[in-house]
Amino acid sequence: MADEEKEQQKQGEMEELPVILQLRPVPAITPVEEQFLKKFRFLKAWESSMPTELFLTTYAQSVRVLLCHGGTPVTADTIRCLPSLQCVIATSAGLNHIDLTECRKRDIAIANAGDCYSENGADYAIGLLLDVLRQFSASDRYVRQGLWPVKGAYPLGSKLGGKQVGIVGLGHIGSEVAKRLVAFGCSISYNSRKKKPSVAFPFYSDVRDLAANSDALILCCGLTKETYHIINRDVLLALGEKGVIINIGRGAIIDEKELIQCLMQGEIGGAGLDVFENEPDVPKELLAMDNVVLSPHKAVLTPEAIVSLQDLLMANLEAFFSNKPLVSEVKDE
Amino acid sequence: MADEEKEQQKQGEMEELPVILQLRPVPAITPVEEQFLKKFRFLKAWESSMPTELFLTTYAQSVRVLLCHGGTPVTADTIRCLPSLQCVIATSAGLNHIDLTECRKRDIAIANAGDCYSENGADYAIGLLLDVLRQFSASDRYVRQGLWPVKGAYPLGSKLGGKQVGIVGLGHIGSEVAKRLVAFGCSISYNSRKKKPSVAFPFYSDVRDLAANSDALILCCGLTKETYHIINRDVLLALGEKGVIINIGRGAIIDEKELIQCLMQGEIGGAGLDVFENEPDVPKELLAMDNVVLSPHKAVLTPEAIVSLQDLLMANLEAFFSNKPLVSEVKDE
């Protein structure tokens, strides 16, 4: 067979591969794209010279699956351009970038990152909590600035063991957080949409009550209409002047302006924040505070997590095209 | 009774209280000194205008107990000035500031901080390990320097779960470290003076072998002649270019010059250091490294630990003067 014929045949085979739409790049896929291209064909909206809407309507009939990164909005308008869409596969744990109402209306299945991030997220929450209580970042700055020989011992932090820790959102990540906290000798209680029958930790249906009974709150929930600004001034005041708040969920779970006020007034004790309302912009008031640990939204990401995610994405895509249930379908967001 | 007589009587009673020598201030006692003064009389060498040796020989006959802070050397010369000394009570876990050989020769009992610091020390070791692996201090600097919006995402760290962690010194603190690491999904092995029959983790009699089989080493042992520079270039090379070393023991357990060389050459992956060979001076080469977390020797200290220590010191002193065994006697250092 001549080279040209081979190329044509390859082209023909490729076009027969199932189509997967990407609106913007999906970084987790890039390093292993070759593996996916053996089984699927990627339609990359951002590589086309067409305006996105025209691109979507042009390919609308062939698109049954949309694969999306956590930072990529999947709006109702986008979904309406895609009448054949049956499945959205997200590389994130949180789904606040996807118009879930529109998906539910159309009976579009949704998969998230499942359990890929849980252990990393939990490790990170514990790390932030330890950092706020025992001042790793602040005392590392102190040493690097040469202050130890000049000013002497750094002020003491506070012990983690014995603390009452409230977990907001006891899903994959929250459960892993609880497991770790038990080993540190903490007492645990939690808030979530509903009480979990299989969990023995005390449940608080109201997050303010949870805060009032906690030395530290760890936010592990997704961002939804219900959790938007769920941590408001009342909750922060209930947490109290020695209380610590850790956020590895989404920035807007906390009313950030109120958080800053409470920190400036000494109405809460400290904060460990991986997420912010207007990332990557971090409110400048926080930058000067030693009782705050600031992290650039990376709680769940490690090379190990990305490898599990790549496997999971492949498994979800293969399941979809074999008419099997998605491996990490999210049903009740 | 006239005031003068009362004063004389009080003075007389005080002089009958058991005497405890302090060579230098013991900071843990200061906030609760009143409680101790109800039962004991402190002889404070540093408050006397006499040269220390003269002071010691003047009071030599009355001194059966010496109470000392971790930073206060208790030399053979000091001990020889005190022929009635029967007991040294240290506020530290490590005893490298005390001439143990001289104490053993004289059959002087020694008590340390027992279990007061174990949980805090273990929390701190885990915090340092998480910080090196998941880059809390380094990425906090990144955010504070305003680099997130400019340079984008911070490079990924590495997952703690699944790591093989070697613990050097499986005493009070090391055992608490192991308990926490299990909850993070790590595999554990250890090195100590001898294999512990009650412990199921793999034991390595040679610390180089332990390093060769570990992704991270955590140093929780005391500083003795045997552990001085036990972490040398060979051990560091065995740990390898992705390996991480955490030290909450004493600075001189590591050959610090070799550690710096290995870090500069990329021969190990990173380090979390609470202790240094010449504290509070930290080698300047370390100050610029992003894969190193620097801490001003505070792993075990929290207000909670100090309260337990105060209780323990009181219990040890009462035990000694009631001819009962010391609560936290160290027998086989």
Side-chain angles (χ1 to χ4, degrees):
Chain A
M1 220 169 9
D3 279 359
E4 201 176 316
E5 276 175 79
K6 274 189 197 163
E7 189 55 38
Q8 278 174 1
Q9 187 179 334
K10 200 175 145 196
Q11 191 70 25
E13 282 164 9
M14 267 183 62
E15 278 168 17
E16 282 160 30
L17 293 175
V19 168
I20 296 163
L21 174 64
Q22 294 181 28
L23 297 170
R24 293 190 200 162
V26 177
I29 292 286
T30 315
V32 291
E33 194 169 75
E34 285 298 314
Q35 289 171 37
F36 284 81
L37 292 179
K38 288 177 192 160
K39 299 184 176 177
F40 311 105
R41 185 159 66 94
F42 286 133
L43 260 183
K44 297 178 175 180
W46 76 95
E47 285 186 349
S48 163
S49 54
M50 287 191 245
T52 304
E53 201 176 313
L54 179 58
F55 178 88
L56 294 179
T57 48
T58 303
Y59 291 99
Q61 296 309 321
S62 64
V63 173
R64 295 168 62 206
V65 178
L66 170 59
L67 179 66
C68 69
H69 178 60
T72 305
V74 180
T75 64
D77 282 347
T78 299
I79 295 168
R80 285 185 201 122
C81 290
L82 301 165
S84 304
L85 189 67
Q86 292 169 26
C87 172
V88 176
I89 297 179
T91 65
S92 53
L95 298 173
N96 55 300
H97 55 303
I98 300 172
D99 191 313
L100 298 175
T101 313
E102 191 67 21
C103 289
R104 293 307 173 212
K105 207 188 287 176
R106 287 262 307 276
D107 218 14
I108 293 167
I110 299 164
N112 74 351
D115 225 359
C116 293
Y117 298 140
S118 309
E119 294 177 337
N120 283 302
D123 292 354
Y124 212 81
I126 301 293
L128 283 173
L129 180 57
L130 277 168
D131 200 342
V132 176
L133 292 176
R134 304 296 308 276
Q135 312 154 316
F136 291 98
S137 294
S139 66
D140 176 273
R141 273 199 301 280
Y142 185 80
V143 173
R144 282 173 202 258
Q145 288 165 357
L147 296 175
W148 188 12
V150 181
K151 293 192 165 185
Y154 196 81
L156 296 188
S158 179
K159 184 180 176 182
L160 176 53
K163 290 270 187 301
Q164 183 76 46
V165 182
I167 300 175
V168 180
L170 200 71
H172 289 302
I173 296 179
S175 305
E176 290 287 335
V177 169
K179 184 175 133 192
R180 285 155 179 73
L181 288 173
V182 167
F184 284 90
C186 296
S187 301
I188 293 154
S189 40
Y190 74 104
N191 163 264
S192 62
R193 275 163 293 185
K194 45 193 176 188
K195 187 170 174 2
K196 311 211 171 224
S198 61
V199 171
F201 304 128
F203 168 74
Y204 289 86
S205 60
D206 182 65
V207 83
R208 198 197 154 281
D209 293 342
L210 178 69
N213 288 285
S214 297
D215 302 307
L217 278 189
I218 302 185
L219 310 180
C220 307
C221 57
L223 175 62
T224 62
K225 278 178 197 159
E226 290 72 34
T227 63
Y228 176 81
H229 282 199
I230 192 175
I231 308 298
N232 55 26
R233 181 167 172 78
D234 268 2
V235 174
L236 292 168
L237 293 181
L239 185 59
E241 61 183 18
K242 289 190 174 174
V244 166
I245 194 152
I246 304 299
N247 192 3
I248 59 157
R250 286 289 181 270
I253 296 168
I254 305 182
D255 185 332
E256 204 170 69
K257 285 205 179 100
E258 293 294 353
L259 173 69
I260 291 167
Q261 276 304 311
C262 287
L263 284 165
M264 286 172 63
Q265 306 294 323
E267 290 164 325
I268 71 165
L273 307 171
D274 184 52
V275 285
F276 303 87
E277 286 208 64
N278 298 302
E279 295 171 12
D281 293 319
V282 175
K284 64 178 188 312
E285 294 90 339
L286 298 174
L287 302 182
M289 293 180 184
D290 268 347
N291 55 339
V292 172
V293 179
L294 302 168
S295 165
H297 198 154
K298 65 183 178 69
V300 300
L301 279 184
T302 62
E304 293 85 348
I306 291 174
V307 170
S308 340
L309 178 66
Q310 290 160 347
D311 293 345
L312 178 68
L313 293 175
M314 181 64 90
N316 269 318
L317 290 169
E318 288 181 334
F320 175 80
F321 288 110
S322 322
N323 297 314
K324 289 180 186 156
L326 296 176
V327 179
S328 58
E329 184 163 358
V330 178
K331 298 214 171 180
D332 56 351
E333 280 284 326
Chain B
M1 219 169 7
D3 278 359
E4 201 177 318
E5 276 176 81
K6 274 189 196 162
E7 189 55 38
Q8 276 173 2
Q9 185 178 335
K10 200 174 146 196
Q11 190 71 24
E13 281 166 9
M14 267 183 61
E15 277 169 19
E16 281 160 31
L17 292 176
V19 168
I20 296 162
L21 173 64
Q22 295 181 30
L23 298 169
R24 293 191 200 161
V26 177
I29 292 285
T30 315
V32 291
E33 193 169 77
E34 285 299 314
Q35 290 171 37
F36 284 81
L37 291 180
K38 289 177 191 159
K39 301 187 176 175
F40 311 105
R41 185 159 67 93
F42 286 131
L43 261 184
K44 297 178 174 179
W46 76 95
E47 286 185 350
S48 164
S49 55
M50 286 190 246
T52 304
E53 202 176 313
L54 180 59
F55 179 89
L56 293 179
T57 47
T58 303
Y59 292 98
Q61 296 309 322
S62 65
V63 173
R64 296 167 61 206
V65 179
L66 170 61
L67 180 65
C68 68
H69 178 59
T72 305
V74 180
T75 63
D77 283 345
T78 299
I79 296 168
R80 285 186 201 121
C81 290
L82 302 165
S84 304
L85 189 67
Q86 292 169 27
C87 173
V88 176
I89 297 180
T91 66
S92 54
L95 298 172
N96 55 299
H97 56 302
I98 300 172
D99 191 314
L100 298 176
T101 312
E102 190 66 22
C103 289
R104 294 304 173 214
K105 208 187 290 176
R106 286 263 305 277
D107 217 13
I108 293 168
I110 298 163
N112 73 350
D115 225 358
C116 294
Y117 298 138
S118 309
E119 294 178 337
N120 283 303
D123 292 354
Y124 213 81
I126 301 293
L128 283 174
L129 181 57
L130 277 168
D131 200 342
V132 175
L133 292 176
R134 304 297 307 276
Q135 311 155 317
F136 291 97
S137 294
S139 66
D140 176 274
R141 273 199 300 281
Y142 186 80
V143 173
R144 283 174 201 257
Q145 288 166 357
L147 296 175
W148 189 11
V150 181
K151 292 191 164 186
Y154 196 81
L156 297 188
S158 179
K159 184 180 177 182
L160 176 53
K163 290 271 187 298
Q164 183 76 47
V165 183
I167 300 176
V168 180
L170 202 69
H172 289 302
I173 295 179
S175 304
E176 290 287 336
V177 168
K179 184 175 134 191
R180 285 155 180 71
L181 288 173
V182 168
F184 284 90
C186 296
S187 301
I188 294 155
S189 41
Y190 74 105
N191 163 265
S192 61
R193 276 165 293 186
K194 45 193 175 188
K195 188 171 172 7
K196 310 208 172 227
S198 61
V199 171
F201 304 127
F203 168 74
Y204 289 85
S205 60
D206 182 64
V207 83
R208 198 197 154 283
D209 293 342
L210 179 68
N213 289 285
S214 298
D215 302 307
L217 277 190
I218 301 185
L219 310 181
C220 307
C221 58
L223 176 62
T224 63
K225 277 177 199 160
E226 290 72 33
T227 63
Y228 176 82
H229 282 196
I230 192 175
I231 307 299
N232 56 25
R233 182 168 170 77
D234 268 2
V235 174
L236 292 168
L237 293 181
L239 185 58
E241 60 184 18
K242 290 189 174 174
V244 166
I245 193 151
I246 304 299
N247 192 2
I248 58 157
R250 285 289 180 270
I253 296 169
I254 305 181
D255 185 332
E256 205 170 68
K257 285 206 180 102
E258 294 293 353
L259 173 68
I260 292 167
Q261 275 306 310
C262 287
L263 284 164
M264 287 172 64
Q265 305 295 323
E267 290 164 325
I268 69 163
L273 306 171
D274 184 51
V275 285
F276 303 86
E277 286 208 66
N278 298 302
E279 297 172 11
D281 292 319
V282 175
K284 64 177 190 311
E285 294 90 338
L286 298 175
L287 302 182
M289 293 180 182
D290 268 347
N291 54 340
V292 171
V293 179
L294 303 168
S295 165
H297 197 154
K298 65 183 177 71
V300 300
L301 279 183
T302 62
E304 293 86 349
I306 290 174
V307 169
S308 339
L309 179 66
Q310 290 161 346
D311 293 345
L312 179 68
L313 293 175
M314 181 64 90
N316 270 319
L317 290 169
E318 288 181 333
F320 175 79
F321 289 110
S322 323
N323 297 312
K324 289 181 185 155
L326 296 176
V327 179
S328 58
E329 184 162 357
V330 178
K331 300 214 171 181
D332 56 352
E333 279 284 329

